[in-house]
């Protein structure tokens, strides 16, 4: 593994921090990390109580998500994986909008068509619609970066993916294209130790992931993914390079997935307990808290306030989302194309007709408006 | 009016749109200064610069994936896959990404983009330069699938595809690239992406075809006429979305139907046409629908002329359904 960038010292200080985040921004980062945890916690409860079907926990990787987001603008283009929503929260996405997706209801931006955790935002942050296949979004980030450059904008793209994603065709194709095109894109590999049950050692024989950058003609940087300031600096440096026309960067954030792959996964079957204990000591939220404390920006009172705010907001979000009706039958047929083609109109009409004659299907109370 | 080959018409459409809209960006393998292996993009880099028409690494999933990214960030990408046989690494990007993007984001993100690719046999290209994969793609909600058969249609349909708000797979019958010529208007015009074309009017038998099979069917129809059978030939040209009403009207008109394509028969596009007619116009039918297709084998090289439906096979089918 290439040398790892770390900012936090054991005592919580960060003497080498470049000051890219002011006090307010630092506290906002911390709050976002707590919000990710609060959102995860309530989703786990909602899933276990059968009110939502599925969730993806983020415990352990919050500093990577939030650190990266804090180094970029909301107008930059985020191409996330399904374990990245802290990036959206950081730039103002509302927990209630995310919760609509978790419930797959009528207010979900995807109208309940996607599984939960597959968020999509255009406002207040460009957070690209999440896809389940691994690595397919990396070429998108490169194309978007090419377009930004061609249109004379200084936006950068960030593609975020796990260590598993580096084995995909998309990883190779995207890094190769980005290198050749000198596209303003940042590849953020979150090496969190696991791709569902496959340890990173089974994913690649290379010495870490950052080293792969060399073959694509771009810098590769390894950063302590549980150190928000280090991630902020690495992504900030890469963004500066990208905006300056110097091309792409591959960043490996060395971190650890402290929960299961998803609520459907039982990590106790394959994660060694001692490994988990080792990483628990490097909990990214606690490390950030220690830094803020050391910097005079944190006390118990703030902690209590933030925890209460986050817990209240996600609880309220869940309440609202659960009370929001499901999508209407019409939404099966809309948004396939901009204009509804005849054959889809007919299929929709048949579905509505059947619902009327035989019942059994909930038409959502709406007339077929198409 | 000037006369162009189908290939020149494609090139003309690209020139026309690139002049009109600076967001239109063309890229793919060898499409830059060389102008593509078939010369479909000839002159574009020279006229519009290498930022708007450029060569890419040999990376089909990268090409199509990058096109999705360009499309969501303000460009109008028109990428080329050098041969349709090489498109399968990009299948995931086409089927799971481009085609589903509008749906899965509730319209927040869309992919107005065109994937151009030469398809089909007739050039002694063997297994990997001859395939007709339209059925794989016509099975994909969210995608549009277009196949022209004349220079006029090639230009008008390609312009419509570039202007379309949804992703379009534009399959070009390479066997016709230089073998058909026709009048092509100057400047911009477009053809609706859900319309069929009546190639020839007739009252005895209806033949549905597209792409390189259209001239084959025209010749077979001319031969059939010599034997007293009047054949109605329809060029389907926009396979998805299909103008189903026009297909059904043409089927009802004669009650005798032949469907022709180069691709293998099993689960081929002809099966959909046949089922559409069976479900909606069975009471008009005087004979079973007959399919004339490639065999359910890989595409052979030396014997490709036996594999591809020819005038002989189409005529045999026309006579068969006419006399049923």
């Amino acid at each position: 593994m290439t040398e790892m960038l770390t900012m936090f010292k054991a005592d919580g200080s960060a003497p080498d921090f470049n000051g890219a985040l002011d006090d307010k921004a630092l506290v906002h980062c911390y709050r976002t990390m707590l919000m990710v945890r609060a959102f995860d916690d309530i989703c786990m409860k909602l899933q276990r109580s059968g009110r939502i079907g599925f969730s993806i926990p983020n415990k352990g990787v919050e500093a990577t998500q939030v650190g990266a987001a804090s180094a970029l603008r909301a107008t930059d283009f985020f191409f996330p994986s399904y374990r990245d929503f802290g990036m959206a929260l950081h730039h103002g996405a509302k927990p209630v909008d995310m919760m609509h997706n978790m419930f797959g209801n009528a207010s979900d931006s995807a109208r309940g068509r996607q599984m939960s955790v597959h968020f999509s935002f255009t406002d207040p942050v460009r957070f690209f619609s999440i896809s389940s296949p691994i690595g397919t979004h990396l070429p998108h980030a490169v194309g978007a970066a090419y377009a930004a450059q061609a249109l004379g904008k200084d936006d950068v793209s960030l593609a975020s993916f796990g260590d598993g994603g580096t084995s995909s065709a998309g990883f190779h194709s995207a890094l190769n294209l980005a290198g050749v095109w000198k596209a303003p894109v940042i590849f953020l590999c979150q090496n969190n130790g696991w791709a569902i049950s496959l340890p990173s050692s089974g994913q690649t024989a290379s010495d870490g992931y950052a080293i792969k950058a060399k073959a694509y003609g771009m810098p590769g940087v390894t950063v302590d993914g549980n150190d928000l300031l280090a991630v902020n600096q690495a992504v900030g440096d890469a963004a500066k390079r990208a905006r300056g026309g110097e091309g792409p960067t591959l960043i490996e954030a060395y971190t650890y997935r402290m929960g299961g792959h998803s609520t459907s996964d039982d990590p106790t079957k394959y994660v060694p307990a001692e490994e988990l204990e080792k990483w628990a000591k490097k909990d990214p939220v606690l490390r950030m808290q220690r830094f803020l404390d050391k910097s005079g920006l944190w006390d118990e009172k703030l902690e209590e306030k933030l925890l209460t705010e986050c817990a209240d907001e996600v609880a309220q979000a869940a309440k609202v989302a659960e009370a929001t009706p499901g999508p209407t039958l019409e939404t099966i047929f809309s948004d396939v194309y901009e204009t509804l083609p005849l054959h889809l109109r007919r299929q929709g009409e048949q579905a509505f007709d059947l619902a009327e004659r035989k019942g059994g299907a909930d038409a959502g109370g709406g007339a077929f408006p198409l | 009016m000037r006369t162009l080959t189908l290939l020149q018409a494609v090139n003309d459409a690209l020139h026309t749109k690139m002049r009109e809209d600076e967001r239109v960006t063309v890229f793919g393998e060898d499409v830059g200064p060389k102008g593509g292996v078939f010369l479909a993009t000839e002159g574009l880099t020279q006229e519009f610069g290498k930022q708007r028409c450029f060569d890419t690494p040999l990376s089909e999933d990268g090409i199509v994936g990058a096109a999705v990214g360009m499309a969501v960030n303000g460009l109008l990408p028109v990428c080329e896959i050098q041969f349709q046989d090489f498109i399968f690494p990009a299948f995931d990007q086409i089927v799971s990404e481009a085609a589903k993007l509008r749906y899965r984001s509730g319209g927040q993100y869309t992919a107005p983009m065109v994937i151009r690719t030469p398809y089909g046999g007739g050039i002694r290209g063997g297994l990997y330069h001859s395939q007709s994969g339209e059925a794989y793609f016509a099975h994909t909600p969210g995608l549009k699938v277009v196949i022209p058969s004349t220079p006029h249609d090639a230009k008008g349909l390609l312009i419509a595809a570039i202007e379309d708000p949804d992703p379009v797979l534009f399959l070009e019958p390479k066997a016709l690239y230089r073998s058909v010529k026709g009048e092509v208007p100057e400047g911009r015009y477009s053809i609706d992406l859900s319309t069929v074309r009546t190639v020839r009017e007739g009252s005895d038998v209806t033949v549905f075809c597209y792409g390189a099979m259209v001239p084959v069917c025209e010749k077979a129809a001319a031969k059939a006429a010599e034997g007293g059978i009047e054949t109605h030939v329809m060029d389907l040209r926009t396979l998805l979305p299909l103008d189903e009403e026009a297909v059904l009207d043409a089927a009802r008109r004669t009650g005798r139907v032949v469907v022709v394509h180069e691709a293998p028969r099993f689960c081929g596009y002809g099966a959909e046409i046949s089922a559409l007619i069976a479900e909606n116009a069975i009471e008009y039918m005087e004979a079973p629908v007959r399919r004339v297709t490639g065999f359910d084998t890989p595409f052979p090289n030396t014997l490709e002329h036996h594999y591809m439906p020819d005038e002989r096979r189409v005529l045999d089918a026309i006579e068969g359904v006419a006399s049923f």
Side-chain angles (χ1 to χ4, degrees):
Chain A
M1 188 187 285
T2 54
E3 198 186 337
M4 185 161 76
L5 176 70
T6 304
M7 290 288 165
F8 291 147
K9 303 292 182 198
D11 67 354
S13 65
D16 299 328
F17 174 48
N18 63 8
L21 299 166
D22 62 19
D23 290 354
K24 197 178 154 197
L26 288 166
V27 173
H28 178 61
C29 286
Y30 183 62
R31 187 185 191 276
T32 308
M33 293 166 86
L34 294 181
M35 186 65 91
V36 172
R37 239 164 231 201
F39 196 86
D40 273 354
D41 286 347
I42 197 163
C43 285
M44 179 62 88
K45 287 178 194 148
L46 292 168
Q47 198 274 338
R48 293 296 189 246
S49 60
R51 286 184 284 171
I52 63 172
F54 180 81
S55 178
I56 297 255
N58 298 270
K59 190 172 182 188
V61 301
E62 298 94 336
T64 300
Q65 296 178 11
V66 179
S70 67
L72 298 174
R73 308 164 182 164
T75 47
D76 287 324
F77 213 146
F78 292 83
F79 289 84
S81 77
Y82 42 67
R83 207 185 309 278
D84 275 327
F85 67 71
M87 296 180 188
L89 282 174
H90 186 78
H91 285 293
K94 295 272 175 288
V96 67
D97 290 329
M98 288 166 43
M99 204 57 91
H100 287 312
N101 170 273
M102 300 306 292
F103 279 87
N105 65 31
S107 296
D108 171 25
S109 59
R111 311 280 175 267
R113 297 171 185 132
Q114 284 253 59
M115 277 179 82
S116 44
V117 201
H118 290 63
F119 307 110
S120 173
F121 293 102
T122 49
D123 180 49
V125 54
R126 296 205 293 170
F127 188 81
F128 192 62
S129 162
I130 296 169
S131 172
S132 302
I134 295 301
T136 51
H137 60 303
L138 274 67
H140 303 164
V142 179
Y146 184 93
Q149 208 166 45
L151 297 168
K153 299 175 184 169
D154 76 342
D155 302 333
V156 304
S157 293
L158 175 91
S160 178
F161 49 96
D163 40 309
T166 62
S167 297
S168 69
F171 174 84
H172 167 67
S173 300
L175 269 76
N176 191 48
L177 285 180
V180 172
W181 294 351
K182 266 186 167 295
V185 57
I186 302 161
F187 297 104
L188 178 65
C189 171
Q190 302 190 33
N191 176 7
N192 66 25
W194 297 96
I196 303 190
S197 67
L198 186 71
S200 207
S201 58
Q203 197 67 246
T204 184
S206 98
D207 182 18
Y209 297 95
I211 195 173
K212 292 179 185 242
K214 192 172 173 61
Y216 297 106
M218 68 180 78
V221 179
T222 305
V223 61
D224 181 344
N226 286 21
D227 178 336
L228 186 136
L229 298 183
V231 176
N232 172 277
Q233 173 153 331
V235 174
D237 289 349
K240 200 172 163 194
R241 289 189 67 251
R243 289 191 224 282
E246 292 174 69
T249 305
L250 172 63
I251 298 169
E252 174 186 353
Y254 187 62
T255 182
Y256 198 75
R257 193 192 81 201
M258 292 175 71
H261 164 69
S262 73
T263 47
S264 310
D265 179 34
D266 177 7
T268 62
K269 285 186 176 164
Y270 56 85
V271 174
E274 60 276 13
E275 198 172 285
L276 202 56
E277 281 163 30
K278 189 187 95 183
W279 279 92
K281 289 179 189 139
K282 292 199 258 180
D283 182 305
V285 176
L286 291 179
R287 284 174 82 191
M288 186 66 181
Q289 185 196 83
R290 215 173 295 142
F291 165 74
L292 293 177
D293 187 14
K294 189 90 180 170
S295 310
L297 297 170
W298 180 91
D299 57 20
E300 289 289 351
K301 209 175 137 193
L302 176 73
E303 182 76 5
E304 202 185 311
K305 175 178 169 282
L306 294 179
L307 286 175
T308 306
E309 276 175 14
C310 292
D312 286 353
E313 189 166 355
V314 297
Q316 180 62 20
K319 209 172 148 189
V320 170
E322 194 171 13
T324 303
T328 59
L329 191 52
E330 171 270 339
T331 62
I332 292 179
F333 303 96
S334 54
D335 291 331
V336 180
Y337 300 96
E338 187 186 69
T339 306
L340 189 75
L342 183 66
H343 69 289
L344 289 189
R345 177 192 293 269
R346 291 221 167 120
Q347 287 174 24
E349 284 167 353
Q350 283 164 6
F352 270 82
D353 175 59
L354 185 73
E356 203 161 288
R357 287 187 293 109
K358 303 273 188 190
D362 179 14
F368 195 52
L370 300 167
Chain B
M1 199 184 290
R2 71 205 168 127
T3 298
L4 300 182
T5 63
L6 194 146
L7 187 67
Q8 289 168 330
V10 167
N11 185 264
D12 189 35
L14 294 170
H15 270 101
T16 302
K17 280 311 293 179
M18 288 182 85
R19 276 182 200 133
E20 190 185 275
D21 189 338
E22 63 180 21
R23 297 172 301 165
V24 177
T25 305
V26 171
F27 56 101
E29 296 161 15
D30 304 299
V31 305
K34 176 180 164 64
V37 294
F38 290 100
L39 302 181
T41 56
E42 190 174 31
L44 298 178
T45 300
Q46 289 81 354
E47 181 171 343
F48 303 103
K50 63 179 187 200
Q51 192 175 60
R52 292 189 60 204
C53 178
F54 55 93
D55 293 328
T56 65
L58 278 58
S59 175
E60 285 77 15
D61 72 310
I63 292 167
V64 177
V68 172
M70 291 181 195
V72 299
N73 209 16
L75 294 182
L76 288 177
V78 183
C79 60
E80 177 179 304
I81 300 297
Q82 197 163 74
F83 285 83
Q84 185 250 275
D85 311 69
F86 308 152
I87 207 168
F88 298 108
F91 197 70
D92 199 16
Q93 285 292 346
I94 298 169
V95 171
S96 284
E97 301 296 328
K100 291 179 174 51
L101 188 54
R102 179 188 294 281
Y103 198 67
R104 77 178 198 219
S105 70
Q108 286 182 336
Y109 293 103
T110 59
M113 56 185 271
V114 179
I115 304 160
R116 290 182 41 252
T117 187
Y119 88 98
I123 63 158
R124 300 259 177 239
L127 278 77
Y128 303 118
H129 296 80
S130 308
Q131 294 175 78
S132 299
E134 67 273 12
Y136 297 115
F137 297 100
H139 196 62
T140 305
L143 190 65
K144 296 189 177 182
V145 180
V146 177
I147 303 183
S149 72
T150 68
H152 180 272
D153 278 8
K155 181 175 177 184
L157 290 168
L158 182 52
I159 288 174
I162 295 170
E163 294 174 354
D164 198 84
D166 288 300
V168 179
L169 178 66
F170 195 83
L171 295 162
E172 298 168 3
K174 65 173 98 70
L176 303 187
Y177 264 158
R178 295 184 177 86
S179 68
V180 300
K181 285 185 180 160
E183 291 187 343
V184 176
E186 305 266 0
R188 185 208 162 278
Y189 67 95
S190 68
I191 297 169
D192 282 354
L193 292 189
S194 187
T195 54
V196 300
R197 180 175 69 93
T198 304
V199 178
R200 178 192 175 104
E201 300 260 0
S203 53
D204 297 326
V205 173
T206 302
V207 173
F208 295 106
C209 54
Y210 48 86
M213 289 295 102
V214 174
V216 171
C217 293
E218 281 185 270
K219 282 182 202 148
K223 269 274 165 59
E226 289 171 17
I229 304 168
E230 291 305 327
T231 306
H232 193 74
V233 180
M234 301 292 284
D235 175 2
L236 298 176
R237 82 181 174 184
T238 57
L239 272 49
L240 181 67
L242 175 69
D243 185 350
E244 294 185 356
E245 277 310 308
V247 169
L248 291 170
D249 284 348
R252 289 181 186 120
R253 184 184 178 110
T254 64
R256 298 172 194 273
V257 168
V258 175
V259 193
V260 184
H261 55 67
E262 291 174 59
R265 173 171 310 187
F266 192 82
C267 285
Y269 196 76
E272 184 59 40
I273 299 297
S274 182
L276 179 73
I277 293 166
E279 284 180 343
N280 297 283
I282 192 78
E283 67 274 26
Y284 291 86
M285 299 311 290
E286 305 286 348
V289 172
R290 185 135 162 209
R291 287 178 284 165
V292 182
T293 67
F295 302 116
D296 291 333
T297 68
F299 195 102
N301 187 28
T302 307
L303 296 179
E304 76 168 354
H305 52 293
H306 285 282
Y307 179 92
M308 292 175 69
D310 60 4
E311 185 186 318
R312 194 176 49 103
R313 285 171 63 191
V314 176
L315 179 61
D316 189 53
I318 290 172
E319 289 169 350
V321 298
S323 62
F324 183 84

